[in-house]
Amino acid sequence: MGYNVAPLDKLIDEFERLPNIGHKSAQRLAYHILTLPQKRVEEFAEALIKAKKDIHFCKDCCNLTDKELCPVCENEKRDHSVICVVEHPRDVIAMERTQEYEGVYHVLHGAISPLSGIGPEQLHIKELISRVAGGNVSEVIMATNPTVEGEATAVYISKLLKPLGVKVTHLAYGIPVGADLTYADEVTLARALEGRTIL
Amino acid sequence: MGYNVAPLDKLIDEFERLPNIGHKSAQRLAYHILTLPQKRVEEFAEALIKAKKDIHFCKDCCNLTDKELCPVCENEKRDHSVICVVEHPRDVIAMERTQEYEGVYHVLHGAISPLSGIGPEQLHIKELISRVAGGNVSEVIMATNPTVEGEATAVYISKLLKPLGVKVTHLAYGIPVGADLTYADEVTLARALEGRTIL
């Protein structure tokens, strides 16, 4: 462009660096910021700084928190002997929405993906191993994503955990509730058949 | 959600207030911010504050600038006797991209839209009138958007300008270059026929 004034160009550039925001969207967002009252813009800037500054990993499960322990790990009513392993903090939120899970979590912050240069050492796997090695854990539920990377990660971790004598399970594969069989892909359908249960 | 930690919820909320950003996108953007180095987040926050603080309206044309005059008004090589009236700063950028226009601009910052509660007094119309009344203006080109609101705004402004004895013109309507006649809507096609020129 070159025509825009420098502080505006800089702001457009900042928005454009965010994931899934193209140049046109970045422009629209930047112009929107200019229409906001100064106070609102300051609040936005402060929210960015504060979130980055205050949020860190839970000492036990590596989920995001602004305290030493996350709300789940802190909660004494949760069953601390069952650990559900997920890739991302957003997966914890998805699991919590079911209101069915009473154990605790472990957040890996990614999955093993050689193509993206992510090896096991970049994930929070050793924290999980030491949690389990510390005893008092009866079951580890692998809830990584049903992708090649997620599966590989689950297999990798279960191999490390088995020698510790802990039960390692995996979320069931199958037809999503409410879905139509016609549209289910053959891999999902095959897995659903394989894992069929007695009515 | 309720489960997220407060500073994260606040950041998601801030992103969600931006135009065309839904809850899922806001969540993804907020998590992305947490993965950035502290320095990058600070740069983003500063870009927001700085853009809002330093950018204001050009004294002459109401376009955005961080100086007293915008680059176009400041440029003595531009023809200051021809004013192109546009709705938004982004329209100035679109016009500049043609590299064909040598006059100056006037940015209204919107169009008259009774449904959205935008009346003429909320737009920078009186600044335009006083520019023209100040003399030395030979032509005003209306380049508001070809929408009901844009057209109404152009008609409203031209009624105010005509008594001042200035020539008021309008961008040509017609088939977009490179488009297919089959897909042209009938209104555009009728306008193109009406405005046909001799080959």
Side-chain angles (χ1 to χ4, degrees):
Chain A
M1 299 291 129
Y3 172 73
N4 274 332
V5 280
L8 184 57
D9 267 340
K10 170 77 180 144
L11 184 57
I12 293 174
D13 184 51
E14 286 290 342
F15 274 118
E16 208 172 341
R17 282 164 182 251
L18 297 177
N20 291 53
I21 305 264
H23 186 71
K24 292 256 168 178
S25 306
Q27 238 179 359
R28 200 179 48 231
L29 292 171
Y31 282 126
H32 174 78
I33 293 295
L34 297 182
T35 66
L36 295 176
Q38 174 112 18
K39 201 169 153 289
R40 286 282 314 115
V41 178
E42 280 163 10
E43 270 173 44
F44 186 10
E46 201 189 297
L48 282 166
I49 299 278
K50 206 168 150 53
K52 180 64 197 175
K53 204 174 111 261
D54 291 359
I55 296 178
H56 44 251
F57 295 152
C58 167
K59 189 171 69 76
D60 280 3
C61 76
C62 302
N63 194 7
L64 300 172
T65 179
D66 55 351
K67 308 221 183 69
E68 193 182 0
L69 288 176
C70 75
V72 176
C73 286
E74 210 176 47
N75 188 341
E76 287 180 8
K77 284 183 195 144
R78 306 287 296 228
D79 181 355
H80 283 66
S81 74
V82 180
I83 299 177
C84 176
V85 178
V86 296
E87 292 182 23
H88 302 289
R90 59 177 180 263
D91 302 329
V92 171
I93 296 168
M95 286 291 292
E96 286 297 286
R97 265 201 301 264
T98 66
Q99 301 192 0
E100 290 286 335
Y101 181 62
E102 292 177 346
V104 292
Y105 295 94
H106 192 86
V107 183
L108 300 172
H109 291 277
I112 298 171
S113 170
L115 282 179
S116 320
I118 301 174
E121 65 290 343
Q122 271 130 295
L123 306 175
H124 297 265
I125 294 177
K126 57 179 184 300
E127 288 89 338
L128 173 65
I129 306 299
S130 56
R131 267 176 98 180
V132 176
N136 303 323
V137 177
S138 62
E139 181 180 356
V140 174
I141 305 169
M142 299 307 305
T144 50
N145 287 323
T147 58
V148 175
E149 291 82 6
E151 302 259 303
T153 310
V155 170
Y156 177 88
I157 292 175
S158 70
K159 277 190 187 153
L160 293 176
L161 290 176
K162 289 221 174 115
L164 301 173
V166 70
K167 185 165 119 193
V168 182
T169 58
H170 194 294
L171 288 187
Y173 287 111
I175 317 292
V177 178
D180 192 315
L181 266 199
T182 326
Y183 303 118
D185 65 289
E186 59 274 29
V187 182
T188 303
L189 214 49
R191 295 279 195 121
L193 189 67
E194 201 183 317
R196 66 192 180 276
T197 53
I198 293 161
L199 262 179
Chain B
M1 297 296 130
Y3 171 72
N4 273 332
V5 280
L8 184 57
D9 268 339
K10 169 78 179 141
L11 184 58
I12 294 173
D13 185 51
E14 287 289 344
F15 273 117
E16 208 173 341
R17 283 162 182 252
L18 297 177
N20 292 51
I21 305 264
H23 186 72
K24 290 254 170 178
S25 304
Q27 236 179 1
R28 199 180 45 228
L29 291 171
Y31 281 128
H32 174 78
I33 293 295
L34 297 183
T35 67
L36 295 176
Q38 175 112 16
K39 200 170 154 287
R40 287 282 316 115
V41 179
E42 281 164 9
E43 270 174 44
F44 187 11
E46 201 189 296
L48 283 165
I49 300 277
K50 204 168 152 55
K52 180 64 196 173
K53 204 174 112 260
D54 291 358
I55 295 178
H56 44 251
F57 295 153
C58 168
K59 188 173 69 74
D60 281 3
C61 76
C62 301
N63 193 7
L64 300 171
T65 179
D66 56 351
K67 308 222 180 67
E68 192 182 1
L69 288 175
C70 76
V72 176
C73 287
E74 209 177 45
N75 189 343
E76 288 179 6
K77 286 184 192 142
R78 307 286 297 228
D79 182 356
H80 283 67
S81 74
V82 180
I83 299 177
C84 176
V85 179
V86 296
E87 290 182 25
H88 302 289
R90 61 176 179 264
D91 302 329
V92 171
I93 296 169
M95 285 292 291
E96 286 297 285
R97 265 202 299 264
T98 67
Q99 303 193 358
E100 291 285 334
Y101 181 63
E102 291 175 349
V104 293
Y105 295 94
H106 192 86
V107 183
L108 300 172
H109 290 276
I112 298 170
S113 170
L115 282 179
S116 320
I118 302 175
E121 65 291 341
Q122 270 132 295
L123 306 175
H124 297 264
I125 294 177
K126 58 178 185 299
E127 288 90 337
L128 173 64
I129 306 300
S130 55
R131 266 176 99 179
V132 175
N136 302 324
V137 176
S138 61
E139 182 179 355
V140 174
I141 306 169
M142 300 304 305
T144 50
N145 286 324
T147 57
V148 176
E149 291 82 8
E151 302 260 305
T153 310
V155 170
Y156 177 88
I157 292 176
S158 70
K159 277 189 187 152
L160 294 175
L161 289 177
K162 289 226 174 107
L164 301 173
V166 72
K167 185 166 118 194
V168 183
T169 59
H170 194 294
L171 287 189
Y173 287 112
I175 315 293
V177 177
D180 192 317
L181 268 197
T182 327
Y183 304 120
D185 65 290
E186 59 274 27
V187 182
T188 303
L189 215 46
R191 295 282 194 121
L193 189 65
E194 201 182 316
R196 67 192 178 277
T197 53
I198 294 161
L199 262 179

